[in-house]
Amino acid sequence: MYDQWKKTLLFNEQYRNFTGRSYLSNYLREPSKHFMWPAEYFGQEHWVTTRETHFETLPTLEEVEPIMSTGQDRILREDDPRMLQEYRVKDTAVMNMTLRVLSCAPRVFEIPNFLSPAEVQHILELAGGIELSESLTGDAAGKVKESNSPDETSRRKTRTSFNSWVPRERSVVVDAIYRRSADLIRIDESLLRSRAKTEYPDKPTKKTIA
């Protein structure tokens, strides 16, 4: 492994001298600031619970209007009732989730039954009304590169895709899935939405990390 790593570093130096870019994708990358589940061997499992239980049936259209509240008004304490509880799995206060390791490097996990059939249907219905647009690429500073040069157009053609986003604030059901995701990866749910100035004041931005 040591000799292989030395060869990789040597090739990276030659590659950078020739192209001006680093061959190593983790070159000078800072360690993760958030918790990450370990992936030490195939089939390894981790268990975590959440109060954001499955929706068994979908609420009415009036009840899934876009969320207008912001900042700290979005906070739910651990003992607060979950939103639209009457549409969720009956007599179940906690949902168990299992992460199963499929790959160690890069880390890939399978999370069986993370979404209920009703939730999948709800997301498909919302996404069906959103127009797909060409995926954007950015530089190291996160700025979108705009160029109409032939070379840039050619490079874009080698990596093309179309996507769309279903915003968290689009409905209570989507919001609940985001909260469930935060529990799954053990981070504060406020990191997955726009935050008030008093929430994580040490963060350089108030935007979502999702």
Side-chain angles (χ1 to χ4, degrees), residues 1-105:
M1 289 295 294
Y2 176 75
D3 290 337
Q4 290 178 343
W5 181 239
K6 285 185 62 177
K7 291 180 181 179
T8 299
L9 292 178
L10 178 60
F11 177 76
N12 179 66
E13 182 178 351
Q14 297 171 341
Y15 184 89
R16 186 171 61 248
N17 291 337
F18 184 79
T19 66
R21 302 186 304 272
S22 174
Y23 169 76
L24 297 173
S25 60
N26 60 345
Y27 179 69
L28 294 181
R29 184 170 181 172
E30 295 182 358
S32 174
K33 296 180 176 63
H34 304 290
F35 173 80
M36 293 183 66
W37 288 102
E40 298 166 338
Y41 55 89
F42 297 151
Q44 183 179 14
E45 292 186 343
H46 307 289
W47 299 273
V48 63
T49 61
T50 178
R51 294 199 62 206
E52 296 296 341
T53 55
H54 278 152
F55 281 86
E56 276 191 316
T57 57
L58 292 178
T60 63
L61 292 178
E62 292 75 17
E63 292 174 304
V64 289
E65 286 293 313
I67 297 172
M68 305 305 294
S69 58
T70 60
Q72 290 180 306
D73 292 337
R74 299 282 297 280
I75 295 176
L76 281 178
R77 294 187 299 272
E78 185 64 25
D79 56 347
D80 285 341
R82 302 297 101 172
M83 295 178 287
L84 299 178
Q85 187 66 50
E86 63 271 24
Y87 294 97
R88 305 192 187 213
V89 176
K90 302 296 186 294
D91 302 322
T92 303
V94 174
M95 172 181 166
N96 296 306
M97 297 180 288
T98 301
L99 298 92
R100 184 177 300 113
V101 174
L102 300 183
S103 172
C104 299

Side-chain angles (χ1 to χ4, degrees), residues 197-209:
K197 293 182 179 180
T198 54
E199 296 180 285
Y200 287 93
D202 58 318
K203 295 293 181 185
T205 176
K206 300 305 175 187
K207 296 181 180 180
T208 174
I209 66 172

